[in-house]
Amino acid sequence: MSTAHASALEAPATSRVKGYWKEYNSSVFSLLVFLLIWELVCRLGFISRFQLVPPSEVIVVMIEKFWTAPPDGATLFTHIAASMTLALVGFCAAVVVGVPLGLLMGWYKPVMVLVRPLFDAVRPIPPIAWIPLAILWLGIGIEAKAFIIWLAAFVPCVINSYIGIKLTNPVLIRVARIYGASNWETFIKIGVPSAVPMIFTGLKLSLNAAWTTLVAAELLAASEGLGYMIQMGRRLARPDIIIVGMLTIGFTGALMSYVLTKIESRIASSRRL
Amino acid sequence: MSTSNVKIAAKGISKSFTTENGTIQVLDNVSLEVKTNEFLVILGPGQCGKTILLNCLAGILPPDSGEVILNGKKVTEPGPDRGVVFQQYALFPWKTVRDNVAFGLAIRHMPVKERYEIAQKYIDLVGLTGFEKSYPHQLSGGMKQRVSIARSYANNPEVLLMDEPFSALDAQTRYSMEKELLSIWEQEKRTVVFITNNVEEAIYLGDRIVLMTKLPGTIKMEFPLTSPKPRNYTDASFLEMRLAISEETELAL
Amino acid sequence: MANAAAANLKEKIGAVFSFVIFLALWQVASMAVGSEALPSPADVVAKAQEMYTSQIGGKSMWMHIYYSLRRVVGAYLLAAVTGIPLGIAMGWNVKFRKIANPIFELLRPIPPIAWIPIAILWLGIGEGPKIFICYVGAFVIFVMNTYTGMRYTDHLLIDAARTFGATRRQQLFNVAIPASLPSIFAGVQNAMSMAWMCVLAAELVGAREGVGFIIIQGMDLNNSPMIIVGMITIGLIGLFLAVSLRYLEKLLCPWRRELQ
């Protein structure tokens, strides 16, 4: 068995590369075919260049957008920075308020009885539906957008923290009580830690909701940011700008989720030790 | 004469698995023969590849070398001639008891009426009359395993392969299930290969016991059991056999 | 039993109590900042009466609701009919998965709302882009949930079916798909709330009818009671859609264990 073990570890690098290639060759192939069809549809004039441009041109525009501001008023980095700042501010504010509220709702009955009906009443209204009211109240500046994003991120934070702490193993709570822990101590030392995995699920949903809502808010009222960028692309009938914007939105969103997942696995692994 | 009587046989079966920690030899040149309507028990410690052996007999897993012979023909894939009763029941949660039992017949496109008649017969046989319309999640572990046995029986297989069917049950249920399995088998004789890690269960049920070693799994010894069934756990002969087998095993339970 | 009933009653009283407090606070706040900025609950009720009996932008409130629902339901059904089979194919066939997955993974992180500008560029400003956006939102969820359900099908069940001689086709239709139904149904719910959100977003960006148009009109007219009535309408419809789907699931998946 030890020899088998060694040989598995010392598998030659070439065969490993071959293995990856075998695993992914049809995926690479399928992407290439996809891009090729797209390119051909545009080049052969099946579609107006005010509606779609070939991927080769999208790539050129994407590279150019790193340092050029026209036609949408800012470089790609400025847009990314504006959107990310807004999304993260709203998200963090939602976490700071939402997670403790959810935990308290799950642990203290009176909080639940008072807050939950209101929460359930407001929840069916999608955060996007708050945009007009927020703009009316707070103007078209950063406050209105921050409020909407906060609201969108707030709901999953509360729900998941609430469910997480509700699912605390009752045996652990009883053990803590037997050893003389007060209700508050039990909450902090048993309830909160056991809710952590669910809280993280909530954080991921929150971040997702924040990012989606940000795009909606920037479509309606903004002077910079990725949502503004794609909206400008539409006004100028520049599909290349829109597509660069969409891909950047997707990529940035995925990147933020990835960072959050990394943080989660770091915390989870340190807890297991 | 004796070879023509063989229902299912394993011939020189070896099987290994490659994991992150290297290759593990699970079965090493295992051969055995099961006669028609014989109740064979394969007894072995926790990790001895007996489940893998059963999966090879069922055709779910292909062996690395060696072959499985059923009625003189080589087995290459699972088939309705070999019914399997899984340790974890493997009932379909979206089907009622009756539809679970009738599953194999439905696969063969048997008309609904006929299908349900046969299903009913086996539901009655395993003592689940009245539970036809229940879903598996509404049943206890013992009842689930009855459904699983009925499901296999209803399909009328030539060989019944049972993979530690009672090991997830509590001791009391286990005893009664063993007793009932025996009475079902007396009523409807089949060739049975029954896997267990429990010596008592093996002696209680078997016509013959095959003892397996720890990994890599090989066959260590065979014990023919001739005393009439149902056997009594406290008979002198029972205890004697138990002692004899225990001395040969490494049942680190 | 009596205990549970008492607890239930307590909760109901708590809910009523919390709404009363909420309405009282709302009233006080409205009096503090003036009904211009924050209309009182009575203002909103009066406005609702007016809106549901008169016309807004040439159509009755019910027509606006009808327009929004028509877009959502149309796009939703289309997404179900295309998304669920795609998810099944991706979950069942390795070759197909390898071909479809990379394109899907490339497009999936883009929020459906970010498709609005290009949808308008492609399909103009009529019904097209609205239905398209709802479709994209619901489609991704249908595919993901179906695919996940298929991939997490308990392999033991497939093995069990094989021992009964089930063909590959029978394994798919008699085992893998029914086993994925709970996951698919989770998608059925999520896809609906996503589609409902998407229709709002699309109507906010550009529409002459629909509930999204109502609230954006309220903003343009600086009429906050109108926005609030619109928002409550949106919430109630969303709730109605969710409840009907949950009822449908109970009807179609009777074997599912309740969570409590």
Side-chain angles (χ1 to χ4, degrees):
Chain A
M1 233 174 94
S2 65
T3 50
H5 186 104
S7 71
L9 279 181
E10 287 161 17
T14 50
S15 90
R16 205 169 280 180
V17 169
K18 259 185 201 158
Y20 281 130
W21 174 241
K22 204 167 177 190
E23 176 70 24
Y24 293 112
N25 62 0
S26 45
S27 302
V28 171
F29 184 69
S30 119
L31 268 183
L32 285 178
V33 169
F34 173 70
L35 291 176
L36 190 72
I37 292 173
W38 177 2
E39 183 86 31
L40 281 178
V41 165
C42 296
R43 293 277 175 212
L44 296 177
F46 286 116
I47 191 162
S48 145
R49 50 173 305 106
F50 295 111
Q51 293 193 308
L52 193 64
V53 293
S56 52
E57 283 183 34
V58 170
I59 292 168
V60 172
V61 170
M62 179 170 262
I63 295 166
E64 277 174 7
K65 277 305 289 176
F66 281 124
W67 62 83
T68 53
D72 48 299
T75 64
L76 199 52
F77 283 120
T78 316
H79 286 310
I80 294 175
S83 293
M84 268 180 87
T85 314
L86 201 52
L88 289 178
V89 166
F91 171 71
C92 291
V95 172
V96 169
V97 183
V99 172
L101 181 66
L103 292 172
L104 290 173
M105 263 170 76
W107 197 259
Y108 292 98
K109 195 94 206 236
V111 180
M112 199 275 279
V113 169
L114 278 185
V115 178
R116 182 138 183 216
L118 285 185
F119 193 74
D120 282 345
V122 174
R123 201 152 65 104
I125 301 173
I128 287 177
W130 286 83
I131 293 178
L133 203 57
I135 291 176
L136 208 60
W137 281 348
L138 301 166
I140 53 163
I142 192 166
E143 296 89 352
K145 277 172 275 178
F147 170 71
I148 300 296
I149 293 161
W150 175 82
L151 197 70
F154 176 69
V155 173
C157 278
V158 175
I159 295 175
N160 281 275
S161 312
Y162 172 77
I163 294 174
I165 202 158
K166 275 265 171 198
L167 293 177
T168 305
N169 187 346
V171 174
L172 293 181
I173 297 174
R174 252 174 269 143
V175 169
R177 279 333 211 15
I178 287 165
Y179 281 92
S182 68
N183 193 17
W184 173 251
E185 276 175 315
T186 315
F187 171 67
I188 292 294
K189 296 216 167 111
I190 308 290
V192 175
S194 68
V196 164
M198 272 306 274
I199 292 176
F200 263 101
T201 311
L203 294 188
K204 277 184 241 167
L205 292 172
S206 279
L207 189 62
N208 226 330
W211 194 237
T212 301
T213 314
L214 168 104
V215 174
E218 284 183 345
L219 283 180
L220 285 169
S223 52
E224 56 180 359
L226 295 164
Y228 171 76
M229 179 181 172
I230 57 176
Q231 184 71 322
M232 280 305 284
R234 174 176 78 82
R235 289 203 189 119
L236 302 166
R238 284 286 300 273
D240 45 350
I241 297 289
I242 300 182
I243 291 169
V244 168
M246 283 170 70
L247 289 175
T248 313
I249 290 168
F251 179 74
T252 316
L255 187 72
M256 289 195 294
S257 300
Y258 177 75
V259 170
L260 194 58
T261 312
K262 279 283 145 195
I263 294 173
E264 181 190 14
S265 64
R266 179 70 59 85
I267 288 177
S269 69
S270 73
R271 270 158 50 92
R272 227 174 278 131
L273 284 175
Chain B
M1 249 337 257
S2 70
T3 47
S4 66
N5 203 11
V6 170
K7 177 56 86 182
I8 186 167
K11 292 200 170 154
I13 288 192
S14 296
K15 181 85 190 166
S16 60
F17 288 95
T18 309
T19 67
E20 288 169 357
N21 301 323
T23 306
I24 300 167
Q25 182 81 25
V26 181
L27 294 175
D28 186 15
N29 197 19
V30 173
S31 297
L32 53 83
E33 290 184 340
V34 192
K35 294 190 194 72
T36 303
N37 289 349
E38 182 184 24
F39 200 121
L40 176 81
V41 177
I42 298 176
L43 177 67
Q47 299 265 314
C48 72
K50 52 195 190 297
T51 295
I52 304 294
L53 176 60
L54 191 97
N55 282 341
C56 287
L57 291 174
I60 294 171
L61 279 178
D64 293 342
S65 63
E67 51 187 18
V68 174
I69 305 288
L70 177 78
N71 291 333
K73 280 187 217 116
K74 192 179 169 188
V75 164
T76 51
E77 54 181 10
D81 43 15
R82 282 148 292 143
V84 182
V85 176
F86 295 90
Q87 183 182 359
Q88 298 302 332
Y89 323 125
L91 298 177
F92 303 111
W94 59 90
K95 286 184 187 290
T96 58
V97 166
R98 182 162 65 179
D99 283 319
N100 262 293
V101 174
F103 180 82
L105 308 171
I107 287 295
R108 281 192 261 143
H109 307 290
M110 184 183 280
V112 178
K113 192 164 167 284
E114 212 175 316
R115 203 194 287 173
Y116 282 170
E117 270 168 21
I118 296 177
Q120 192 61 49
K121 179 184 161 195
Y122 289 99
I123 290 170
D124 295 344
L125 185 69
V126 299
L128 281 179
T129 317
F131 289 96
E132 294 83 0
K133 288 184 179 155
S134 303
Y135 286 99
H137 73 84
Q138 297 167 314
L139 306 178
S140 69
M143 289 158 89
K144 283 183 197 166
Q145 202 54 286
R146 284 163 202 253
V147 178
S148 183
I149 291 169
R151 181 174 67 174
S152 288
Y153 254 106
N155 204 38
N156 196 18
E158 296 176 46
V159 181
L160 214 50
L161 304 167
M162 308 183 89
D163 181 13
E164 302 194 43
F166 306 144
S167 65
L169 307 177
D170 61 81
Q172 208 59 44
T173 316
R174 188 169 186 156
Y175 283 129
S176 67
M177 287 296 289
E178 286 163 11
K179 205 169 145 195
E180 278 193 48
L181 175 64
L182 213 51
S183 87
I184 293 168
W185 180 74
E186 298 285 357
Q187 287 174 59
E188 300 239 350
K189 283 263 166 107
R190 293 286 188 287
T191 309
V192 177
V193 178
F194 187 103
I195 285 182
T196 183
N197 56 19
N198 184 314
V199 184
E200 280 191 343
E201 190 171 79
I203 303 172
Y204 183 76
L205 293 172
D207 292 333
R208 181 161 59 107
I209 296 176
V210 167
L211 192 61
M212 281 182 75
T213 60
K214 270 190 183 166
L215 286 185
T218 53
I219 289 176
K220 190 174 183 187
M221 263 181 125
E222 281 194 19
F223 298 89
L225 299 165
T226 46
S227 57
K229 299 183 209 177
R231 299 176 181 131
N232 191 326
Y233 288 102
T234 48
D235 268 0
S237 61
F238 195 103
L239 295 172
E240 233 171 71
M241 182 54 84
R242 187 180 159 162
L243 195 65
I245 295 174
S246 297
E247 273 173 3
E248 298 297 335
T249 45
E250 350 157 37
L251 290 172
L253 289 176
Chain C
M1 280 308 270
N3 219 340
N8 204 347
L9 187 70
K10 228 181 192 171
E11 247 172 53
K12 273 191 186 138
I13 294 173
V16 171
F17 188 61
S18 102
F19 270 107
V20 170
I21 293 181
F22 173 70
L23 289 177
L25 281 177
W26 181 354
Q27 182 71 38
V28 169
S30 148
M31 289 196 292
V33 300
S35 62
E36 275 291 297
L38 180 64
S40 70
D43 293 339
V44 171
V45 171
K47 184 73 191 172
Q49 239 166 6
E50 185 201 320
M51 280 166 69
Y52 275 88
T53 48
S54 63
Q55 303 224 317
I56 305 155
K59 292 183 188 69
S60 74
M61 194 64 186
W62 298 108
M63 276 311 279
H64 286 289
I65 293 175
Y66 164 74
Y67 266 100
S68 294
L69 277 180
R70 199 179 70 173
R71 290 164 184 157
V72 167
V73 173
Y76 180 81
L77 292 179
L78 202 62
V81 170
T82 50
I84 294 175
L86 182 69
I88 289 171
M90 278 167 68
W92 191 244
N93 187 314
V94 181
K95 196 95 202 153
F96 190 81
R97 162 156 76 237
K98 281 187 177 168
I99 290 169
N101 218 13
I103 297 169
F104 193 72
E105 284 298 313
L106 186 74
L107 299 180
R108 193 168 65 96
I110 300 171
I113 289 173
W115 286 85
I116 292 177
I118 199 116
I120 294 174
L121 217 53
W122 286 346
L123 302 165
I125 50 164
E127 292 297 287
K130 284 139 203 140
I131 291 173
F132 179 78
I133 298 303
C134 293
Y135 172 80
V136 169
F139 176 75
V140 170
I141 294 177
F142 273 125
V143 174
M144 280 318 293
N145 275 273
T146 310
Y147 173 65
T148 314
M150 293 289 292
R151 290 217 73 181
Y152 286 100
T153 298
D154 188 353
H155 206 83
L156 193 62
L157 294 180
I158 302 276
D159 280 345
R162 285 174 65 206
T163 65
F164 288 101
T167 61
R168 185 92 175 125
R169 201 186 150 81
Q170 284 173 322
Q171 289 164 35
L172 173 63
F173 285 100
N174 294 2
V175 182
I177 291 177
S180 314
L181 274 184
S183 174
I184 294 176
F185 259 101
V188 161
Q189 304 258 7
N190 293 342
M192 183 50 96
S193 64
M194 177 55 100
W196 186 233
M197 188 188 84
C198 287
V199 83
L200 278 184
E203 288 173 355
L204 287 179
V205 173
R208 292 215 180 81
E209 63 290 292
V211 286
F213 165 78
I214 296 287
I215 58 176
I216 208 85
Q217 183 80 352
M219 184 184 87
D220 289 341
L221 298 172
N222 209 353
N223 188 338
S224 51
M226 186 172 167
I227 303 181
I228 294 174
V229 172
M231 284 169 65
I232 294 172
T233 305
I234 289 165
L236 287 177
I237 297 172
L239 204 60
F240 167 75
L241 291 173
V243 169
S244 3
L245 284 180
R246 221 168 293 154
Y247 180 74
L248 187 72
E249 177 181 11
K250 265 199 193 134
L251 216 64
L252 293 179
C253 299
W255 70 89
R256 281 203 65 191
R257 217 178 308 207
E258 291 301 318
L259 263 171
Q260 282 173 338

